[in-house]
Amino acid sequence: MTVKQLVKQLQLDVIAGKEGLEAEVNGVYICDLLSWVMSHAQKGDIWLTVMTNVNVVAVALLTEVACIIIPEDITIDAQTIEKANNENIPILSSSLTAYQLALKINEELRNEND
């Protein structure tokens, strides 16, 4: 499954990084502690976080996650959006909670593998 397919399936808003929507999705990682994400997120993961500062883009690049999803319609800093666009890191937004998103993503990934 690609990020683009996930956006369509879950009706996510693409906030930044439209050029990176073809990235393959392999799993989900949920965490807000950047140093922990750097040492535990895997390439191709969807990263769910409430963090919206520019440092999330740097961590996303380092870990090679497929995209960042910000839950609960949290406002994203303009500087973060600009950096994500420059680096082609998709930042997506949803009104759902991180838990609700994780359940839906898990369902989509399971259906993809069936």
Side-chain angles (χ1 to χ4, degrees), residues 3 5 7 9 18 22 27-28 31 37 41-42 45 53 71 73-74 80-81 85 90 94 99 106 110 113:
V3 174
Q5 290 169 316
V7 166
Q9 293 294 337
K18 291 181 175 129
E22 295 303 325
V28 179
C31 187
V37 175
Q42 302 294 311
D45 279 349
N53 66 51
D73 290 328
I74 297 170
T80 303
I81 294 169
N85 280 326
S94 174
Y99 176 73
N106 181 61
R110 290 177 100 187
N113 292 326

Side-chain angles (χ1 to χ4, degrees), residues 48-59:
L48 297 174
T49 182
V50 298
M51 299 291 294
T52 62
N53 66 51
V54 72
N55 294 330
V56 297
V57 177
V59 171

Side-chain angles (χ1 to χ4, degrees), residues 38 47 53-64 68 83 87 89:
M38 285 190 291
W47 177 20
N53 66 51
V54 72
N55 294 330
V56 297
V57 177
V59 171
L61 280 169
L62 178 69
T63 58
E64 300 181 67
I68 302 166
K83 182 69 172 172
E87 299 293 349
I89 300 291

Side-chain angles (χ1 to χ4, degrees), residues 11-24:
Q11 300 175 334
L12 302 171
D13 295 322
V14 179
I15 305 301
K18 291 181 175 129
E19 299 299 319
L21 293 177
E22 295 303 325
E24 287 292 323

Side-chain angles (χ1 to χ4, degrees), residues 21-110:
L21 293 177
E22 295 303 325
E24 287 292 323
V25 171
N26 299 320
V28 179
Y29 194 75
I30 306 171
C31 187
D32 299 319
L33 185 60
L34 300 181
S35 60
W36 194 264
V37 175
M38 285 190 291
S39 62
H40 291 87
Q42 302 294 311
K43 180 178 181 177
D45 279 349
I46 295 166
W47 177 20
L48 297 174
T49 182
V50 298
M51 299 291 294
T52 62
N53 66 51
V54 72
N55 294 330
V56 297
V57 177
V59 171
L61 280 169
L62 178 69
T63 58
E64 300 181 67
V65 295
C67 67
I68 302 166
I69 302 180
I70 308 297
E72 300 183 45
D73 290 328
I74 297 170
T75 302
I76 302 162
D77 297 341
Q79 183 181 13
T80 303
I81 294 169
E82 181 180 349
K83 182 69 172 172
N85 280 326
N86 290 340
E87 299 293 349
N88 297 323
I89 300 291
I91 297 180
L92 314 173
S93 179
S94 174
S95 61
L96 300 175
T97 67
Y99 176 73
Q100 291 167 327
L101 283 164
L103 290 175
K104 288 181 177 280
I105 294 165
N106 181 61
E107 182 178 328
E108 291 300 324
L109 289 174
R110 290 177 100 187

